[in-house]
Amino acid sequence: MTEPAITPELVAKHNLTPEEYAHAVEILGRTPSYTELGIFSVMWSEHCSYKNTKPLLKTFPTKSPKILVGAGEENAGIIDIGDGIAIAFKIESHNHPSAVEPFQGATTGVGGIVRDIFTMGARPVCAVNSLRFGPITPDVAADVSRRTSSPEEGQRGLTSTTTNGEADAQLKNNRRLFAGVVSGIAHYGNCFGIPTVAGEVYFDKTYQGNPLVNAFCLGVLRHEQITRGAAKGVGNPVFYVGPATGRDGLAGAAFASQDLTEESAEQQRGAVQVGDPFMEKLVCEACLELLATGCVAGMQDMGAAGLTCSTCEMAARAGTGIEIELDKVPQRAPNMSSYEIMLSESQERMLIVVHKGREEEVKRIFDKWDLPWSEIGIITDTGHMKVRHGGKLVVDIPARKIADESPVYQREAIEPSYLKDVRAFRLDGIADTTTPVEDLKKLLAWPSIASKNWVYRQYDHQVRDGSVVLPGSDAAVIRIKTDSLPVMSAELAAKVGDPTVSEKLIAMTVDCNGGYVYLDPYEGAKIAVAEACRNLACSGALPLGATDNLNMPSPLKPELFWQIKESVRGLAEGCKAFNAPVTGGNCSLYNQSPAGPIDPTPTISVVGLIEKIEHVTTQWFKDEGDAIILLGDAVDQADPIFGLGGSAYLQVIHGKKNGSPPRCDLEVAKTLHTTLIGLIQSGLVKSAHDCSEGGLAVALAESCISQLIARDTPRLIGATIDLSALKDVRLDALLFGETQSRVVISCQALDAVKVVERAKLMGVPAAQIGKVGGDKLTMKTATGEFSAPLTELHDPWWNSIARAMA
């Protein structure tokens, strides 16, 4: 085909600035070809280059004696968990594709992160997700007060002028996106055969039109099995493995690095890839078997930017060059151009560099698994990525220049003016609650708090028989068993001897309250890390490391970039405080639609290790007569709005999304976590549940109603709570305030005094506030007593989302 002339208009369509294009011309010493222009476009997109966030990412803590592969080195980070075993894990986004095609966007998001794991030589053993959508219930879609600093940050979604028909259409679309994404995640994970064991889902109109879909995967391997994505060995052949290349997914990385509008979504519908989980399973098993032969010199998946990214990044890492022949690339569409072949993001494809002379082993293994393969190139010493097509040289670019020397920007950051109103917000004019039971029921029914069983019952969360704590508690826990590990080479097997391993227990969670981050990016990001680590502590785990997904709006506006910058500062401080170094992650910018930007949502997933099976702890109360103890202050009296800033209570009951979020003192949080883990390891704690959205009353209710003993069969166990000693405090703040660093635990009645005294000795406020038993949640306060049957609490909490989606 005849390639179009390179014009300023064509450059702009490729999302390159005039300065970036001039830099590309300088690197080449000539005008780029059309294919080269496309390559610069995807490789210098935010999705691939982090050109706007790279200076910020350098502030993350990334070092630890346990880290074997660190952030930015490879496709995923790897951490030692003892006895020669390691875990590889990472989280990535598929936001814009999921907004356009929710099912395929979600499936390929899962497929991409799974490939990142087995590319490292690890066997994927579990998946986690973090999701955000617009409201799915009319009451939540009602107007929520929100002050903003500019029309661009203007209130999203339903306004006072929205008609009932428009409101219904918005709710219907939100439900469509939600259902499509959950179905896509379930389809890919279930078919591939990987348990989806944890996650989080929030609903807020800030995500209306721009949902967030973050996928996490964790894999297991021996230290000696770590595989690098470097094109090593001049003269080594390059193999393409996996299904044929098509036109799906063209320029997906570039699409993910621009604002999402109706026009761009329609134009880029073809930028959404199509996934095949059964093919991915074959590719995974074949690659792990191939790695065991020792014939692989380097391997990388063709993810974002497809063949382009895998070739130039592998060459750049090794300091070599690479030459490929596009006529040898399997193609499923006729007459594909070099531009299309290089930028296609067709799924389930791998690029493998093989030691010269061992090609037949590659062919034998992939033929055995009935997988397409082709020898398409060779490693050179030129330092250049060269691509030939139809007998012509169509690409000749210095690999390191394009992979490692993308433009880097120091963006201007200005504090948004709306924060003045946020900080000045007080509770004057907001009446204290007089209907605590009704308020509690409304909070439990709010989809962001309600049980996510409608979501996770669609996932197979027990396949491979490694799941210890299933979805529905503070953190998931899985067992790392002998059969979790990839097959060993003969050489490694001889070295290891007995292949069995002592089982390891890994806990994981993912967290972020985007509303907190909008109201105070620094404190909100710290809270995200603290809550994730608190969830691990409640499960009996110590943090090992973290992976983050920065879901952010445009970095080009100073007020929005300030949100990004402050969020990263908060994440970095939180990870340092809890000794949870960041091993990698993803930046997803330009998350905004014509209605405005999303709330900045720096999602953090933290992975931890539990020493013994008896230390595994869940959130629900266990036995009648057990004592209930609150660790941490019931209310932060130094907070002028007593932990109600940005709270679920203010949003659901009063329609206000305002006020500074609760303060997060990292030292206080760290002391709490250390104390709690010590109590758990002493065998004193029967249950532990952190207080987060909805405050103390919601945490207590969930401790009573969240245990599931069979499909759709809960075990309800009541509690009698006495908070009457807490006087001169607003009832809504006491029950629904979201003061940080609080955990509700239960223990044997005989151990209650011991637990309280030990906690106080460690510097953690502690008090026995009640006992387990009965069929109601009864709470006595200084202003009165109220009670609710557990069946009346469980029903709205358990069924809210299912009813909305019916």
Side-chain angles (χ1 to χ4, degrees):
M1 65 178 279
T2 303
E3 293 192 341
I6 307 300
T7 64
E9 292 75 19
L10 187 64
V11 171
K13 282 184 178 179
H14 281 76
N15 217 28
L16 289 170
T17 66
E19 294 77 16
E20 289 170 347
Y21 175 70
H23 185 38
V25 171
E26 181 184 4
I27 287 174
L28 296 175
R30 56 177 169 79
T31 300
S33 67
Y34 179 54
T35 304
E36 288 172 332
L37 179 67
I39 288 173
F40 276 103
S41 171
V42 294
M43 289 304 298
W44 286 1
S45 67
E46 180 66 33
H47 189 81
C48 291
S49 72
Y50 303 131
K51 60 189 176 185
N52 291 294
T53 52
K54 195 174 287 185
L56 302 180
L57 301 180
K58 291 180 180 178
T59 65
F60 281 142
T62 58
K63 303 297 182 184
S64 159
K66 293 183 179 295
I67 290 183
L68 304 178
V69 176
E73 294 181 34
E74 294 288 346
N75 294 286
I78 297 181
I79 290 185
D80 173 34
I81 60 172
D83 298 326
I85 309 301
I87 52 174
F89 60 89
K90 189 183 181 184
I91 191 169
E92 282 204 342
S93 64
H94 236 216
N95 300 337
H96 285 184
S98 299
V100 176
E101 291 284 353
F103 180 85
Q104 292 296 350
T107 62
T108 51
V110 175
I113 197 65
V114 168
R115 283 195 304 280
D116 277 342
I117 299 306
F118 72 73
T119 294
M120 300 300 301
R123 175 173 293 283
V125 294
C126 69
V128 172
N129 55 71
S130 172
L131 312 175
R132 303 287 189 283
F133 303 94
I136 59 170
T137 53
D139 54 322
V140 180
D143 187 32
V144 172
S145 299
R146 176 173 175 180
R147 297 184 173 93
T148 55
S149 63
S150 66
E152 289 77 16
E153 290 182 75
Q155 190 164 303
R156 292 177 151 276
L158 303 179
T159 67
S160 57
T161 59
T162 302
T163 67
N164 288 336
E166 290 170 334
D168 289 343
Q170 288 172 334
L171 288 171
K172 185 176 181 180
N173 188 54
N174 294 339
R175 292 168 185 152
R176 178 186 67 86
L177 292 172
F178 178 39
V181 165
V182 171
S183 179
I185 292 171
H187 170 73
Y188 209 97
N190 295 354
C191 294
F192 181 85
I194 186 172
T196 302
V197 294
E200 59 165 4
V201 190
Y202 282 80
F203 302 90
D204 190 289
K205 64 182 176 180
T206 187
Y207 306 109
Q208 197 154 266
N210 196 137
L212 303 183
V213 178
N214 295 173
F216 166 102
C217 185
L218 181 142
V220 186
L221 73 169
R222 291 178 170 84
H223 293 189
E224 296 85 352
Q225 293 175 308
I226 295 173
T227 302
R228 299 283 181 169
K232 294 181 179 178
V234 173
N236 280 340
V238 178
F239 278 77
Y240 170 115
V241 178
T245 296
R247 291 190 171 97
D248 55 316
L250 279 176
F255 169 50
S257 303
Q258 56 183 296
D259 291 356
L260 184 61
T261 64
E262 288 185 17
E263 182 183 6
S264 73
E266 188 58 38
Q267 290 174 347
Q268 295 294 340
R269 207 164 290 277
V272 181
Q273 311 92 332
V274 178
D276 182 347
F278 299 108
M279 176 64 76
E280 177 125 326
K281 179 63 172 176
L282 296 178
V283 172
C284 174
E285 296 300 334
C287 286
L288 293 178
E289 183 176 335
L290 182 66
L291 289 170
T293 67
C295 70
V296 175
M299 181 168 71
Q300 178 148 324
D301 75 304
M302 297 186 214
L307 192 53
T308 288
C309 189
S310 55
T311 50
C312 65
E313 281 193 353
M314 289 184 77
R317 287 192 189 112
T320 58
I322 187 169
E323 288 191 19
I324 61 172
E325 174 57 65
L326 296 187
D327 289 326
K328 296 181 179 180
V329 172
Q331 300 162 44
R332 70 168 183 264
N335 303 317
M336 289 186 69
S337 67
S338 55
Y339 181 99
E340 291 172 327
I341 298 170
M342 288 301 294
L343 271 64
S344 167
E345 294 184 6
S346 294
Q347 296 291 285
E348 291 88 38
R349 302 176 302 157
M350 305 291 290
L351 197 69
I352 302 175
V353 179
V354 177
H355 291 297
K356 188 174 178 60
R358 304 190 67 176
E359 295 88 342
E360 291 306 314
E361 293 173 79
V362 179
K363 299 173 184 177
R364 175 182 58 81
I365 287 174
F366 285 110
D367 283 343
K368 168 192 168 182
W369 288 96
D370 198 23
L371 285 170
W373 59 266
S374 178
E375 186 176 340
I376 66 168
I378 192 170
I379 304 304
T380 68
D381 61 0
T382 64
H384 281 233
M385 175 178 72
K386 293 186 178 182
V387 179
R388 301 182 187 277
H389 192 201
K392 297 179 180 179
L393 183 66
V394 294
V395 173
D396 186 357
I397 303 176
R400 274 194 169 160
K401 290 285 185 182
I402 193 169
D404 299 337
E405 297 183 24
S406 63
V408 176
Y409 297 105
Q410 300 282 348
R411 297 295 183 188
E412 182 183 9
I414 299 175
E415 181 177 293
S417 59
Y418 74 84
L419 289 176
K420 294 178 182 177
D421 288 337
V422 168
R423 291 166 184 155
F425 177 81
R426 294 295 182 266
L427 299 175
D428 303 337
I430 296 179
D432 199 349
T433 182
T434 57
T435 56
V437 172
E438 293 307 309
D439 292 347
L440 176 58
K441 291 178 182 178
K442 289 177 182 178
L443 284 168
L444 290 171
W446 194 41
S448 291
I449 288 178
S451 168
K452 305 306 184 293
N453 70 87
W454 183 88
V455 176
Y456 64 71
R457 73 185 181 193
Q458 298 183 49
Y459 306 152
D460 186 338
H461 41 266
Q462 293 180 306
V463 64
R464 296 190 59 81
D465 194 32
S467 305
V468 176
V469 177
L470 306 177
S473 193
D474 283 324
V477 180
I478 64 165
R479 291 182 297 152
I480 305 301
K481 308 172 294 176
T482 300
D483 67 358
S484 302
L485 294 160
V487 61
M488 290 187 288
S489 65
E491 180 182 357
L492 179 56
K495 178 181 176 182
V496 170
D498 183 359
T500 59
V501 297
S502 57
E503 290 188 354
K504 306 288 184 181
L505 295 163
I506 301 296
M508 66 208 77
T509 185
V510 59
D511 288 285
C512 183
N513 184 322
Y516 281 171
V517 183
Y518 169 78
L519 296 168
D520 189 328
Y522 170 66
E523 288 293 328
K526 285 199 301 180
I527 288 172
V529 181
E531 182 176 354
C533 293
R534 191 163 66 246
N535 284 334
L536 292 187
C538 287
S539 303
L542 280 168
L544 288 171
T547 176
D548 70 284
N549 207 131
L550 300 180
N551 304 279
M552 297 291 175
S554 170
L556 305 181
K557 298 176 182 178
E559 293 83 1
L560 299 181
F561 188 72
W562 185 87
Q563 294 178 337
I564 301 172
K565 186 176 181 179
E566 286 296 288
S567 297
V568 170
R569 183 165 73 95
L571 287 185
E573 287 195 14
C575 290
K576 288 175 186 174
F578 298 111
N579 195 25
V582 176
T583 63
N586 174 241
C587 294
S588 175
L589 308 189
Y590 303 97
N591 285 290
Q592 52 195 71
S593 69
I598 65 163
D599 284 346
T601 310
T603 302
I604 189 84
S605 181
V606 184
V607 176
L609 183 67
I610 300 176
E611 289 187 3
K612 298 179 181 179
I613 188 69
E614 53 265 33
H615 298 163
V616 174
T617 309
T618 49
Q619 70 182 36
W620 40 84
F621 293 143
K622 301 300 186 293
D623 299 302
E624 298 262 349
D626 285 347
I628 300 170
I629 294 169
L630 176 64
L631 300 180
D633 289 317
V635 178
D636 182 359
Q637 299 282 5
D639 180 350
I641 48 179
F642 310 115
L644 286 171
S647 65
Y649 173 78
L650 280 188
Q651 294 182 60
V652 174
I653 306 302
H654 294 285
K656 294 184 180 297
K657 187 175 182 177
N658 211 338
S660 295
R663 300 180 305 162
C664 180
D665 186 317
L666 294 174
E667 285 303 313
V668 170
K670 188 174 181 180
T671 301
L672 170 68
H673 301 177
T674 303
T675 301
L676 176 57
I677 291 174
L679 291 170
I680 288 172
Q681 291 178 346
S682 298
L684 295 170
V685 176
K686 285 189 166 186
S687 73
H689 186 26
D690 83 308
C691 296
S692 54
E693 285 87 359
L696 179 59
V698 166
L700 289 165
E702 289 175 338
S703 299
C704 293
I705 63 178
S706 60
Q707 184 177 10
L708 192 66
I709 56 176
R711 180 177 174 84
D712 294 332
T713 306
R715 174 179 180 259
L716 307 181
I717 184 166
T720 302
I721 306 297
D722 187 350
L723 301 172
S724 59
L726 296 164
K727 306 180 187 301
D728 300 322
V729 61
R730 288 178 61 117
L731 184 58
D732 53 8
L734 175 62
L735 299 180
F736 308 118
E738 296 174 7
T739 294
Q740 292 297 293
S741 298
R742 297 181 301 165
V743 173
V744 172
I745 65 172
S746 66
C747 65
Q748 290 188 64
L750 291 174
D751 292 331
V753 173
K754 184 191 304 183
V755 169
V756 169
E757 291 306 315
R758 283 195 184 183
K760 289 181 177 179
L761 282 173
M762 294 294 292
V764 175
Q768 181 175 347
I769 60 171
K771 66 177 182 178
V772 176
D775 58 1
K776 298 178 181 179
L777 173 60
T778 301
M779 301 185 71
K780 182 179 179 182
T781 70
T783 58
E785 182 176 308
F786 64 90
S787 182
L790 296 183
T791 52
E792 294 182 10
L793 299 180
H794 180 267
D795 178 71
W797 176 77
W798 183 258
N799 295 310
S800 174
I801 292 178
R803 286 171 180 151
M805 299 302 292

